[in-house]
Amino acid sequence: MHNEAQFPAATVPVLTIDGPSGSGKGTISRMVAARLGWRYLDSGALYRAVGVAAGWADLDLDDHGALVRCTFDTEVGFRDDGQGEPRVLVNGTDATDELRTETAGAAASAIAAIPEVRAALKDRQRRFRQPPGLVADGRDMGTVIFPDAPFKVFLTASAEERAQRRYKQLNDKGVSVTLDGLLREILARDARDAQRAVAPLRPADDAVHIDTTGMDIDAVVEQVLALVKP
C-alpha cells in the first residue's frame, strides 16, 4: 500500500468501522473494502507493530519516553500475500502472525493509552486516505482520525461471543489458550480502551451501531455496504 497523499484528502470518501476487540471489525472491513474496491487501513496493526518492536527491543511498557521513540523509529509496511490477505512488515520483517498474539494486543492497548504515541501515529494513519476511497477500522477512526468521514459504523458484540470467536481463531492456528482467560483479557482491554484519557473507545455521534452477536458475517457485510452504496 502507498501512504503518500498527493491530492485533497477531504475529497476521498472514508468508511470508518470502530468497535471493541473481537467485534469482527477487521474481517468485516477487509471484506467491505474488497467489495467496494477501496483501500483498507488496519489501524490496530500500527499499534501492534509498535508493541512488537518494543518487545523485540525489550522495552519496559511503563517507559513512555522509550515507547514514543520506538513509535517514531518503527517502520511499518503492508503487502498482499497474493491470496487477498494483508501481511504486515515491522522494520522489514514479516510480523503478521506475531501481531495477532494476545501479548501484542495487550502491548498495543497499553501503548495506545500514551498521548504522544497516538499523536505520532495520527498523521501516518491519515495518509492512507487515497482514491478511490478508504475503509478504516480501529477504535477511534470515526471520532479522532477521520471525524469528517461520510460513513461511520460502530460494531459491537457480547464479550462472551467475542471471546468465543477469538478462541476459535487462535485454536485454528494451533495457539493454546483458554476461553476463560480470553474473556478476562477482553474485558480488561475493553475497560482500558474505554477509560483512557486520550481518544477513549466510544462510538461517534453520527455512527450507525450494529450488534454482530449471533449475526452471519455476510449479513453484516451487506448491512454495512447498504450504508455506502446509494
Side-chain angles (χ1 to χ4, degrees), residues 172-201:
D172 288 347
K173 292 182 177 180
V175 180
S176 179
V177 291
T178 66
L179 190 57
D180 286 346
L182 285 175
L183 179 57
R184 285 195 299 272
E185 288 174 357
I186 282 175
L187 290 172
R189 191 178 308 172
D190 284 353
R192 279 198 307 272
D193 290 344
Q195 294 168 9
R196 67 188 178 214
V198 179
L201 172 65

Side-chain angles (χ1 to χ4, degrees), residues 8 36 48 56 60 62 78 106 117 157 164 166-167 174 186 210:
L36 292 172
R48 286 171 179 262
W56 289 348
D60 185 339
D62 290 326
F78 299 86
V117 169
Q164 284 279 5
R166 191 72 178 137
Y167 180 77
I186 282 175
I210 301 176

Side-chain angles (χ1 to χ4, degrees), residues 207-221:
V208 174
H209 293 235
I210 301 176
D211 188 336
T212 67
T213 304
M215 283 187 71
D216 175 79
I217 290 176
D218 291 333
V220 180
V221 169

Side-chain angles (χ1 to χ4, degrees), residues 67 90 119 142 146 170 190 203 205:
L67 293 174
V90 178
F146 301 108
L170 292 173
D190 284 353
D205 292 338

Side-chain angles (χ1 to χ4, degrees), residues 18-20 22-24 153-159 162 165 203 209-213 215:
D18 290 312
S23 58
V153 172
F154 191 83
L155 294 183
T156 60
S158 69
R162 288 186 282 133
R165 291 173 182 173
H209 293 235
I210 301 176
D211 188 336
T212 67
T213 304
M215 283 187 71

Side-chain angles (χ1 to χ4, degrees), residues 52-83:
V52 166
W56 289 348
D58 200 26
L59 299 181
D60 185 339
L61 291 180
D62 290 326
D63 187 343
H64 289 190
L67 293 174
V68 172
R69 289 192 294 275
C70 181
T71 302
F72 281 104
D73 293 341
T74 301
E75 294 184 5
V76 185
F78 299 86
R79 65 176 177 81
D80 195 290
D81 68 354
Q83 300 178 354

